[in-house]
Amino acid sequence: MQNRYPIDADHLLPEYPRPQMVRASYVSLNGMWECAITDDPKIPDFFPYSILVPFSPETRLSGMERSVGVNQTLTYRRTFRLSLETDKRTLLHFEAVDHSCTVYLNGVCVGSHRGGYPPFHFDITEAVKQDNELIVQVNDPCDSQSIIRGKQAQAASGIFYSGQSGIHQSVWLEQVSRHYIKGLVIASNLEQRCWHVTVEADQSGLEVVVSYLDGSRKVKGLSGQRLNCQVDEVHPWSPEDPYLYTFTVTMADDCVHSYVGLRSFSVTDGRLYLNGKPYYHHGILDQGYWPYSLYTPPSDQAMIDDLLLIKKLGFNMVRKHAKVENLRWYHHCDRLGLLVWQDMVSGGRKPFQPIMSGPLFLKRFSVPDSLYPLLGSQDEQYRKDFEEQLTQMIQTLSNCVSIAMWVIFNEGWGQFDTQRMLDLVQSLDSSRTIDPASGWYDQKIGGFCSRHVYFKAYRHTPDSNGRAVILSEFGGYVYREIGHDEQTKIFGYKKFSDRKAFGEAFFDLYANQIVPAKQQGLAASVYTQFSDVQQELNGLVTFDRLSVKVDEVVALQVAAMLLGTQQ
């Protein structure tokens, strides 16, 4: 297996990490750090390893390829020099650290964080100097505890993949004014031909100016107010025409650049709507794993290439499965034009296999979500973490133009109080559609009947409760191209020995099952999956991204059959 994306250790993921709130001030701390793995939680005196941040120590690209035990402490150290500006505050950003960490700067504890997926930052103004020592200590229990972890496992097998620990997205610094813009809340309103911006600042009531349409229009107001940016002739955003409006927000000495797309999402009469018109979601599942770097894309171009290939194969939607990506991934979906179904990251105790697999083989097999132990959600701390991190995910990603749907639970993993979680998501974001329970266990609520079908032909039937029916997972066909993986055991749902048979089966699956289902009322379909991942060789592209296993002409024929009557 070859590495398609060689890296430059001096320029690791150098692009600005927060595309919808860009400042001139940016210092990347990606690159070579010192590292230690110890049984003692104290800060070590000796750091025997060098590691390329932001690649986790378990990965090849980190330069370590060493596992961190579930009871061990992973400690990072690096020094950096910073030119301090008078009357400026310094913020230290981490895009993601798995799973819990404590951060020290020049011997001072500047903060701690729990949760392996949300970005976070600390104000380090009081501790930062011209020459600095930064230490980050991390603990990651992986699947030994009931935490939010997605597909990570200590031992990869079946649908679970290698766990990774520590810093796995960019680390960076910025210097801001004493009074600065902390965040933007952007709301698209296609019907009224406008978008709204609320400027979150360190203090309310500060004067702000929003400039848009190349500076020809300005809106003045105060921080904390909802400001209205009106346009005369609206240019809607869609996958076919991903038009984005750029704008600038200024508050005293602070200035940030951002963008928005005007679009609307809804579900009516059993169909999904985009911008007020029926729109079939022809989607593909994406796990977001990379062969040499696991959770971390090796480069910005690697993410772009994945998304361009998804579009090239005729898909208009990607389901981001059991993982939250860095903000640049969503930015590329915004600007390239791909709808996103965003999963909440699964967690809880290890799934009890008979309960997890029952619906695949037993018709109408169901479990009430109040039976916490059966679904691995019996730990109160897990349920609290899930609710908090679900909220953080939606608040972090709410400005992303391309996200069309939030998916709360998947196949019952750690499922609990589904109605309450649905109410929570609706209260946080009423502008998008919501799938409360993808696959199973359906609690007969929400706007969707969300089905997973793998081991039998899909035959469409309407939902007895009148909801829209979506086939949120199907396929999983395996064809192995030798030389593109390093596996001895292969996992998948149906195996094919050659490329021709695989392509024909892929075409027939859509022609004989999905296209007729769409004609009968199916609102969306999600094929499993985009790329091979370790032992799960059911991707349309190999794990190393060096070979596309399905012919482009076949994929485009499928898209034409499915979307040819798209209005």
Side-chain angles (χ1 to χ4, degrees):
M1 186 168 63
Q2 299 178 33
N3 182 9
R4 179 179 175 182
Y5 295 100
I7 58 171
D8 180 351
D10 295 324
H11 297 88
L12 287 179
L13 298 166
E15 295 81 9
Y16 196 90
R18 193 182 54 201
Q20 281 184 288
M21 208 175 100
V22 177
R23 280 192 180 92
S25 171
Y26 167 59
V27 177
S28 174
L29 294 183
N30 294 339
M32 194 67 74
W33 292 47
E34 297 173 280
C35 186
I37 301 172
T38 59
D39 297 325
D40 191 333
K42 295 179 181 178
I43 296 175
D45 296 322
F46 177 59
F47 294 84
Y49 308 119
S50 294
I51 184 170
L52 276 176
V53 169
F55 302 120
S56 294
E58 291 85 355
T59 68
R60 294 184 193 180
L61 292 189
S62 73
M64 286 184 61
E65 279 195 274
R66 291 179 179 271
S67 296
V68 180
V70 297
N71 295 312
Q72 291 185 307
T73 298
L74 171 64
T75 305
Y76 296 83
R77 178 187 180 275
R78 73 156 290 165
T79 59
F80 65 92
R81 171 166 284 200
L82 188 66
S83 298
L84 298 176
E85 298 184 43
T86 307
D87 296 326
K88 293 279 189 178
R89 305 199 69 80
T90 304
L91 307 180
L92 172 62
H93 293 266
F94 294 86
E95 291 303 295
V97 178
D98 195 8
H99 173 261
S100 60
C101 70
T102 303
V103 180
Y104 302 87
L105 183 65
N106 301 323
V108 177
C109 178
V110 294
S112 59
H113 183 266
R114 190 169 185 270
Y117 297 85
F120 58 96
H121 72 273
F122 304 117
D123 186 331
I124 59 171
T125 306
E126 303 305 318
V128 73
K129 303 174 183 178
Q130 186 175 23
D131 292 295
N132 300 275
E133 179 192 57
L134 177 62
I135 290 178
V136 181
Q137 287 201 291
V138 186
N139 298 100
D140 181 16
C142 195
D143 58 355
S144 72
Q145 292 184 21
S146 183
I147 64 170
I148 310 298
R149 62 183 177 276
K151 291 289 196 81
Q152 298 185 81
Q154 294 177 74
S157 66
I159 62 171
F160 296 97
Y161 317 130
S162 296
Q164 51 85 69
S165 308
I167 299 170
H168 64 97
Q169 300 294 348
S170 291
V171 185
W172 56 290
L173 294 162
E174 64 179 341
Q175 292 186 298
V176 298
S177 306
R178 285 288 168 179
H179 296 298
Y180 65 97
I181 299 167
K182 298 182 73 174
L184 302 175
V185 178
I186 307 168
S188 169
N189 194 325
L190 178 64
E191 185 176 327
Q192 296 184 12
R193 305 191 310 278
C194 69
W195 67 89
H196 306 285
V197 180
T198 303
V199 179
E200 299 175 327
D202 65 314
Q203 180 177 316
S204 60
L206 299 174
E207 184 176 275
V208 298
V209 177
V210 180
S211 175
Y212 62 103
L213 297 182
D214 295 325
S216 64
R217 292 199 180 177
K218 298 182 187 298
V219 177
K220 294 183 179 180
L222 301 175
S223 57
Q225 285 184 340
R226 196 179 194 215
L227 306 180
N228 181 58
C229 299
Q230 194 77 42
V231 295
D232 298 325
E233 297 294 330
V234 67
H235 191 154
W237 181 95
S238 70
E240 295 74 27
D241 184 12
Y243 185 83
L244 299 172
Y245 292 89
T246 60
F247 63 93
T248 301
V249 180
T250 304
M251 188 185 78
D253 295 331
D254 198 11
C255 179
V256 297
H257 302 277
S258 191
Y259 67 84
V260 65
L262 298 184
R263 78 288 180 266
S264 65
F265 305 115
S266 61
V267 55
T268 306
D269 297 329
R271 293 196 288 182
L272 285 159
Y273 278 66
L274 172 64
N275 301 335
K277 297 179 181 179
Y279 193 92
Y280 189 88
H281 291 204
H282 175 35
I284 193 163
L285 195 78
D286 181 20
Q287 309 276 5
Y289 266 76
W290 299 86
Y292 296 98
S293 51
L294 298 181
Y295 260 10
T296 314
S299 69
D300 208 55
Q301 189 61 49
M303 293 186 285
I304 295 170
D305 289 346
D306 271 10
L307 297 173
L308 286 175
L309 179 57
I310 289 171
K311 284 184 69 75
K312 187 177 181 181
L313 294 177
F315 296 96
N316 60 24
M317 179 267 284
V318 55
R319 179 182 171 193
K320 180 52 63 175
H321 192 42
K323 184 192 178 193
V324 178
E325 293 288 358
N326 64 61
L327 288 173
R328 292 199 62 82
W329 186 87
Y330 301 94
H331 166 63
H332 294 312
C333 290
D334 293 347
R335 68 178 189 84
L336 295 174
L338 265 174
L339 297 174
V340 175
W341 291 9
Q342 177 61 52
D343 286 16
M344 173 54 188
V345 183
S346 302
R349 298 200 184 188
K350 292 181 180 179
F352 181 48
Q353 199 55 48
I355 296 295
M356 292 299 101
S357 300
L360 281 172
F361 306 103
L362 300 174
K363 194 173 182 179
R364 297 187 182 90
F365 182 84
S366 188
V367 172
D369 66 357
S370 58
L371 299 178
Y372 296 167
L374 289 181
L375 300 175
S377 58
Q378 60 264 52
D379 298 299
E380 183 179 358
Q381 183 62 52
Y382 157 71
R383 298 195 301 274
K384 180 180 178 182
D385 288 346
F386 187 95
E387 188 169 347
E388 289 179 353
Q389 292 178 40
L390 174 63
T391 299
Q392 291 171 354
M393 180 189 77
I394 292 172
Q395 291 174 338
T396 299
L397 302 180
S398 62
N399 291 341
C400 299
V401 177
S402 52
I403 295 179
M405 183 182 293
W406 303 113
V407 180
I408 303 177
F409 294 109
N410 181 78
E411 295 185 351
W413 303 357
Q415 188 172 344
F416 67 97
D417 301 348
T418 312
Q419 180 65 64
R420 189 167 65 84
M421 293 301 100
L422 174 59
D423 293 342
L424 171 64
V425 175
Q426 288 175 329
S427 71
L428 292 168
D429 183 6
S430 61
S431 70
R432 293 175 170 96
T433 58
I434 306 166
D435 181 1
S438 183
W440 53 85
Y441 293 99
D442 184 12
Q443 304 299 305
K444 311 299 183 184
I445 60 175
F448 296 103
C449 172
S450 182
R451 299 169 178 168
H452 293 184
V453 176
Y454 282 115
F455 295 104
K456 57 187 176 183
Y458 179 70
R459 295 293 178 254
H460 185 75
T461 56
D463 175 48
S464 58
N465 294 295
R467 299 170 298 173
V469 178
I470 54 178
L471 186 57
S472 45
E473 286 187 33
F474 75 102
Y477 287 1
V478 172
Y479 160 54
R480 183 183 194 180
E481 289 209 346
I482 303 301
H484 295 279
D485 64 80
E486 300 172 344
Q487 302 304 311
T488 55
K489 293 184 179 180
I490 299 173
F491 177 84
Y493 302 116
K494 190 174 183 180
K495 297 180 182 179
F496 297 88
S497 59
D498 62 78
R499 184 185 186 91
K500 184 175 182 292
F502 175 74
E504 289 175 348
F506 178 81
F507 180 87
D508 290 345
L509 176 62
Y510 277 92
N512 299 330
Q513 297 180 37
I514 309 306
V515 172
K518 183 200 172 186
Q519 294 167 348
Q520 297 166 24
L522 184 67
S525 52
V526 183
Y527 184 83
T528 302
Q529 57 187 346
F530 169 64
S531 77
D532 294 343
V533 183
Q534 296 184 334
Q535 69 280 345
E536 192 173 14
L537 301 183
N538 54 11
L540 297 186
V541 62
T542 55
F543 195 23
D544 58 13
R545 275 58 166 193
L546 287 172
S547 179
V548 181
K549 296 191 284 183
V550 65
D551 290 340
E552 181 183 344
V553 65
V554 172
L556 291 179
Q557 285 175 335
V558 164
M561 286 192 302
L562 203 53
L563 306 176
T565 57
Q566 187 91 281
Q567 299 295 319

